[in-house]
C-alpha cells in the first residue's frame, strides 16, 4: 500500500526526523558531509519572512539571506504557491523540449534589461555556472586573453575559478584554464594599458562582495565600456550577487547607463530556488555559442523558472526596489553611530552593505551577532556583510541597529574564531 501523508509538511518531517537537536544534527553532519565549508554555525529547520529558527528553537533575524539569495525571505506564500503549482503540473522536461515558464522567464529578463535586438538567454543552475558560460562565450571570440579584477569572486568551477582572484581558492587547483589576467581594482590606466585586440573579454562585478562589498569607483564602468568597445572586446558584467533588485535597481550596472555584452545572474533570481542565467545583449554576443557547444541538465527547469517569475512578480507588485534603497540607507546611516567605536563606515548599495571596521574583528562581530539573534557574515577580516531579504522592514532593521552596541562590545572582548571567512 502506498504512503498517504496528511500534508507535504508532515511528509517532509517524516523524512528528516526534525525533532533532533542542533548538536545531534552537527554530529551527523560531520560524519556524512565533506568538510568543504568547515563546521556549520547552526542547524536551521524553518523560516518565515525575514526570520529563521534553529533546531533548538532559537529565532534569528536573517540579515544575510542565504548570501543575497532569499530575495523574498523564507516561505513566501507567492513563491511557495508558484513552485507547488508548477511541480504539480510539470516538473522536469530535459532540453529536448521547451516549457512555457522557461520562455516567459527569458522574455521577462530581456524586458527588465531593455535588451537590444538579437539578445538571448541561457539558463544555468548557479552563479558559477553562469560565469562558466560567459567564459566559454569569451573563448568563442578566438582571442586568447581575458581580463578580470583583483578582489574578484566569480565562483569555484574551474573556469569561474580562473576568473576569481583569491590565491587561497585558486592555488590548490592549478593549473586553471589559461589566459586570465587580473588587473588592479578600479585602476583605469591599468585597464587601458592592458586592452588590445587580443583581449576577448573584461569580466567584472559592479560591487565586489568577496572583497568586502567594494563598489567600482564612479566612472569606471562607463570608461570600461568605452575602452572595450574600442578594441572589440566583450564586457561581461557579473550581477550574480548584485542583480534582481539587490542594490535597489533591477541590475546594478544600469545605474551607470552602460549596456554590457553579457550579464550573468543567479542568487536572488529564483528567490532561493537554484537558477542562474547568462544574458547575451545584442547580435554579436548572442551568436558566439551555437547548438551543441554548451548545455546543462537542469537549466531552465520549469519549477526554477516559475520560482524566478514569482520572485520578479513580487518585487514589482510590492514595490521592493525603492524599499531596498530606503532600508539600506537607514542601516547605513544608523550602523556607524550604533557601532561606535568599532564601526568605521558602511559601503555598498541598497541591501548589499559592508560594515567596515577599524580592526580585523569581523568574525567576532558575526559570532556575537549570531548569539544575539542576528545572522550576518564576516566577508573580510575587517568587514561584515549584510545582504538581507528584500522584504526586510524598517522596524526589523532598527532591531539590529538597537542591538549593535552590545554586539560590538561583545566582539571587542571575544577571541577570533579559527575559520577564515569565505564565499561558498
Amino acid at each position: 500500500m502506498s504512503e498517504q501523508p496528511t500534508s507535504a509538511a508532515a511528509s517532509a518531517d517524516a523524512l528528516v526526523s526534525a525533532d533532533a537537536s542542533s548538536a545531534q544534527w552537527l554530529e551527523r553532519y560531520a560524519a556524512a558531509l565533506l568538510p568543504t565549508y568547515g563546521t556549520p554555525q547552526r542547524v536551521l529547520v524553518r523560516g518565515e519572512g525575514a526570520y529563521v529558527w534553529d533546531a533548538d528553537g532559537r529565532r534569528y533575524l536573517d540579515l544575510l539571506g542565504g548570501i543575497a539569495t532569499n530575495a523574498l525571505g523564507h516561505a513566501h506564500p507567492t513563491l511557495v504557491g508558484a513552485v507547488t503549482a508548477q511541480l504539480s503540473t510539470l516538473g522536469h522536461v530535459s532540453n529536448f523540449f521547451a516549457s512555457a515558464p522557461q520562455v516567459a522567464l527569458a522574455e521577462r529578463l530581456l524586458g527588465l534589461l531593455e535588451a537590444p535586438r538579437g539578445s538571448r538567454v541561457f539558463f544555468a543552475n548557479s552563479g558559477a555556472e553562469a560565469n562558466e558560460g560567459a567564459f566559454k562565450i569569451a573563448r568563442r571570440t578566438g582571442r586568447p586573453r581575458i581580463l578580470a579584477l583583483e578582489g574578484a569572486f566569480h565562483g569555484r568551477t574551474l573556469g569561474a575559478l580562473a576568473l576569481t582572484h583569491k590565491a587561497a581558492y585558486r592555488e590548490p587547483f592549478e593549473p586553471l584554464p589559461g589566459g586570465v589576467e587580473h588587473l588592479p581594482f578600479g585602476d583605469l590606466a591599468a585597464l587601458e594599458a592592458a586592452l588590445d585586440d587580443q583581449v576577448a573579454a573584461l569580466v567584472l562585478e559592479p560591487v565586489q562582495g568577496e572583497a568586502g562589498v567594494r563598489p567600482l569607483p564612479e566612472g569606471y564602468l562607463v570608461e570600461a565600456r568605452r575602452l572595450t568597445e574600442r578594441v572589440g572586446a566583450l564586457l561581461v558584467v557579473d550581477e550574480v550577487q548584485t542583480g534582481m533588485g539587490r542594490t535597489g535597481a533591477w541590475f546594478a550596472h544600469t545605474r551607470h547607463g552602460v549596456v554590457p555584452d553579457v550579464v550573468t545572474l543567479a542568487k536572488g533570481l529564483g528567490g532561493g530556488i537554484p537558477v542562474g542565467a547568462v544574458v547575451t545583449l545584442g547580435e554579436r554576443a548572442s551568436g558566439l555559442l551555437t547548438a551543441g557547444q554548451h548545455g546543462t541538465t537542469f537549466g531552465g527547469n520549469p519549477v526554477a523558472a516559475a520560482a524566478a517569475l514569482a520572485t520578479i512578480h513580487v518585487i514589482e507588485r510590492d514595490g521592493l526596489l525603492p524599499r531596498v534603497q530606503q532600508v539600506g540607507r537607514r542601516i547605513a546611516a544608523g550602523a556607524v553611530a550604533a557601532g561606535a567605536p568599532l564601526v568605521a563606515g558602511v559601503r555598498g548599495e541598497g541591501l548589499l552593505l559592508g560594515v567596515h571596521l577599524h580592526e580585523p574583528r569581523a568574525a567576532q562581530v558575526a559570532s556575537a551577532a549570531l548569539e544575539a539573534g542576528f545572522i550576518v557574515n564576516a566577508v573580510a577580516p575587517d568587514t561584515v556583510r549584510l545582504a538581507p531579504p528584500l522584504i526586510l522592514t524598517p522596524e526589523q532593521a532598527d532591531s539590529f541597529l538597537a542591538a549593535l552596541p552590545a554586539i560590538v562590545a561583545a566582539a571587542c572582548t571575544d577571541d577570533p574564531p579559527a575559520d577564515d571567512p569565505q564565499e561558498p
Side-chain angles (χ1 to χ4, degrees):
M1 180 180 294
S2 62
E3 182 186 11
Q4 297 295 323
T6 55
S7 69
S11 178
D13 284 349
L15 289 173
V16 299
S17 302
D19 57 348
S21 68
S22 286
Q24 290 169 316
W25 279 116
L26 289 175
E27 184 177 350
R28 291 169 61 180
Y29 180 101
L33 281 86
L34 280 172
T36 52
Y37 301 116
T39 303
Q41 299 175 76
R42 296 289 190 276
V43 178
L44 303 180
V45 295
R46 72 182 179 94
E48 181 179 339
Y51 293 101
V52 293
W53 284 260
D54 70 15
D56 300 322
R58 290 196 62 190
R59 189 184 79 165
Y60 304 87
L61 182 61
D62 184 2
L63 296 174
L64 189 56
I67 310 183
T69 297
N70 298 312
L72 305 184
H74 301 272
H76 192 285
T78 304
L79 183 59
V80 171
V83 168
T84 302
Q86 185 59 49
L87 189 57
S88 302
T89 305
L90 184 68
H92 185 70
V93 299
S94 90
N95 292 314
F96 291 119
F97 306 95
S99 70
Q102 174 194 46
V103 176
L105 178 58
E107 292 172 343
R108 290 291 283 128
L109 290 177
L110 293 175
L112 292 175
L113 279 159
E114 300 181 5
R117 181 187 178 93
S119 302
R120 296 288 188 273
V121 179
F122 173 85
F123 287 117
N125 306 293
S126 67
E129 270 194 69
N131 285 326
E132 201 77 22
F135 195 110
K136 289 180 72 174
I137 289 171
R139 280 282 196 259
R140 287 289 297 150
T141 64
R143 297 181 175 192
R145 301 174 61 208
I146 297 177
L147 306 180
L149 300 186
E150 293 178 355
F153 181 87
H154 296 289
R156 291 178 185 265
T157 55
L158 285 179
L161 188 58
L163 298 169
T164 294
H165 179 249
K166 192 170 184 178
Y169 297 166
R170 299 165 50 86
E171 290 175 351
F173 304 99
E174 291 177 341
L176 296 169
V180 177
E181 304 164 36
H182 288 95
L183 306 179
F185 177 83
D187 187 337
L188 279 172
L191 174 61
E192 185 167 15
L195 278 167
D196 60 25
D197 62 5
Q198 295 300 296
V199 174
L202 168 66
V203 184
L204 49 78
E205 304 155 277
V207 180
Q208 289 188 336
E210 171 74 4
V213 190
R214 182 166 62 166
L216 286 171
E218 194 68 32
Y220 185 94
L221 195 55
V222 173
E223 190 65 5
R225 174 70 287 185
R226 187 185 71 81
L227 293 171
T228 49
E229 279 184 337
R230 191 176 70 181
V231 299
L234 300 175
L235 177 62
V236 179
V237 176
D238 177 344
E239 292 257 19
V240 167
Q241 190 163 157
T242 53
M244 307 316 297
R246 172 57 53 189
T247 67
W250 281 112
F251 311 99
H253 73 269
T254 58
R255 186 172 70 82
H256 305 275
V258 165
V259 180
D261 300 291
V262 180
V263 176
T264 56
L265 303 168
K267 289 194 179 291
L269 176 57
I273 301 299
V275 57
V278 185
V279 185
T280 54
L281 298 175
E283 303 275 3
R284 181 190 175 215
S286 300
L288 290 169
L289 281 180
T290 58
Q293 292 186 333
H294 196 46
T296 176
T297 293
F298 295 104
N301 175 288
V303 179
L309 286 166
T311 301
I312 293 169
H313 167 72
V314 172
I315 291 173
E316 282 187 329
R317 182 196 67 190
D318 295 352
L320 294 184
L321 297 185
R323 179 159 141 181
V324 164
Q325 297 176 22
Q326 174 201 352
V327 178
R329 287 193 295 267
R330 192 183 191 101
I331 295 174
V336 176
L342 185 59
V343 173
V346 178
R347 59 191 175 213
E349 299 174 18
L351 286 176
L352 179 58
L353 299 173
V355 180
H356 185 56
L357 309 178
H358 286 296
E359 303 173 25
R361 287 186 169 272
Q364 295 97 315
V365 169
S367 179
L370 192 64
E371 287 300 317
F374 301 93
I375 296 176
V376 299
N377 158 242
V379 71
D382 62 354
T383 307
V384 174
R385 175 171 46 188
L386 306 181
L390 308 187
I391 60 168
L392 189 77
T393 67
E395 293 75 20
Q396 289 168 334
D398 287 348
S399 72
F400 171 69
L401 295 174
L404 193 53
I407 292 171
V408 166
C412 290
T413 58
D414 286 351
D415 292 330
D419 289 342
D420 183 38
Q422 59 179 258
E423 287 281 336

